[in-house]
Amino acid sequence: EPEVTQTPSHQVTQMGQEVILRCVPISNHLYFYWYRQILGQKVEFLVSFYNNEISEKSEIFDDQFSVERPDGSNFTLKIRSTKLEDSAMYFCASGSGQGVSEQYFGPGTRLTVT
Amino acid sequence: GQQLNQSPQSMFIQEGEDVSMNCTSSSIFNTWLWYKQDPGEGPVLLIALYKAGELTSNGRLTAQFGITRKDSFLNISASIPSDVGIYFCAGRNTGNQFYFGTGTSLTVIP
């Protein structure tokens, strides 16, 4: 069964550094998402991406964040100048359509900022 | 952002019992999803609901899209130990943004 994959599974970085989290969505999906989950809290929407552009973003997704689909398979989240409070699980998700689409989540990347 | 409140926050039940949990919002949603999350893993989709009043089953799980479009319910019948985890509801309005609930932690005692 097709699944969303994410790399790395765990990323440790120092405060102020840039990180890139990578995702490979399900191959025939057109909608892509990034979420974060701070330990013990709910899942929070960051951004949705369709047709090579951001379709929606939350107030969390400020200028520190950017997303890119550099080729036909990868979907990346870049976090510039990481802060301690960026430590969280980051989940990528993909879906086949907007109107009646479910979302399928990847296993997540645990980001630890020290 | 939108607030989705789930209740109860946590449940401790005996194996074999039925479970009910719900999710309410102050806003209308067009899609409701229910996910289960195991520790250290991503949410796994359980059930998707697309129309007000819709009742959908997936094995021992049954979920309903509330008539007001502001709530949804998930029932698990005859619980088993592997049902342990955190259950999240998620709603989508007219945009392409999904809002997650606060989660219900389920513990099943063998």
Side-chain angles (χ1 to χ4, degrees):
Chain A
E1 185 173 321
E3 57 183 21
V4 177
T5 59
Q6 289 185 243
T7 54
S9 57
H10 190 191
Q11 174 87 49
V12 181
T13 189
Q14 287 192 324
M15 195 167 52
Q17 297 294 307
E18 175 182 287
V19 295
I20 297 176
L21 310 182
R22 291 183 166 80
C23 169
V24 179
I26 295 173
S27 62
N28 63 343
H29 284 182
L30 302 176
Y31 293 84
F32 314 115
Y33 309 83
W34 282 102
Y35 291 84
R36 79 172 186 191
Q37 185 178 32
I38 296 170
L39 185 64
Q41 299 186 21
K42 68 178 180 179
V43 177
E44 298 175 292
F45 171 84
L46 292 177
V47 65
S48 60
F49 191 88
Y50 171 71
N51 200 27
N52 283 320
E53 61 183 23
I54 291 173
S55 51
E56 283 192 61
K57 60 182 181 180
S58 71
E59 56 271 15
I60 302 170
F61 194 88
D62 58 21
D63 292 342
Q64 182 192 9
F65 296 90
S66 62
V67 291
E68 192 177 34
R69 189 154 162 83
D71 52 43
S73 60
N74 290 285
F75 180 51
T76 62
L77 174 69
K78 182 189 290 186
I79 309 175
R80 287 179 282 274
S81 189
T82 50
K83 305 187 288 282
L84 293 177
E85 53 265 38
D86 294 328
S87 295
M89 284 290 286
Y90 288 82
F91 293 106
C92 172
S94 71
S96 58
Q98 180 174 355
V100 284
S101 172
E102 308 100 351
Q103 292 182 56
Y104 294 88
F105 280 72
T109 293
R110 178 170 297 282
L111 176 65
T112 302
V113 182
T114 62
Chain B
Q2 305 277 1
Q3 256 320 90
L4 271 68
N5 296 308
Q6 277 184 250
S7 64
Q9 187 175 7
S10 62
M11 303 179 74
F12 293 80
I13 62 168
Q14 291 288 137
E15 183 177 357
E17 289 183 357
D18 296 344
V19 173
S20 291
M21 60 188 78
N22 66 45
C23 189
T24 59
S25 169
S26 57
S27 303
I28 289 172
F29 286 111
N30 293 327
T31 302
W32 283 96
L33 306 174
W34 283 93
Y35 288 89
K36 178 175 182 277
Q37 186 177 30
D38 293 328
E41 298 184 15
V44 175
L45 181 67
L46 300 174
I47 292 180
L49 302 160
Y50 303 114
K51 292 191 298 188
E54 180 181 352
L55 185 72
T56 297
S57 293
N58 178 8
R60 293 179 295 106
L61 277 61
T62 302
Q64 183 160 26
F65 192 140
I67 291 292
T68 65
R69 294 165 63 195
K70 293 182 178 182
D71 56 9
S72 180
F73 306 87
L74 176 70
N75 296 315
I76 305 172
S77 63
S79 58
I80 59 178
S82 61
D83 290 335
V84 165
I86 301 178
Y87 291 79
F88 288 100
C89 63
R92 184 185 69 85
N93 51 24
T94 55
N96 198 27
Q97 182 167 164
F98 285 80
Y99 300 91
F100 275 71
T102 48
T104 293
S105 175
L106 178 63
T107 301
V108 179
I109 303 166

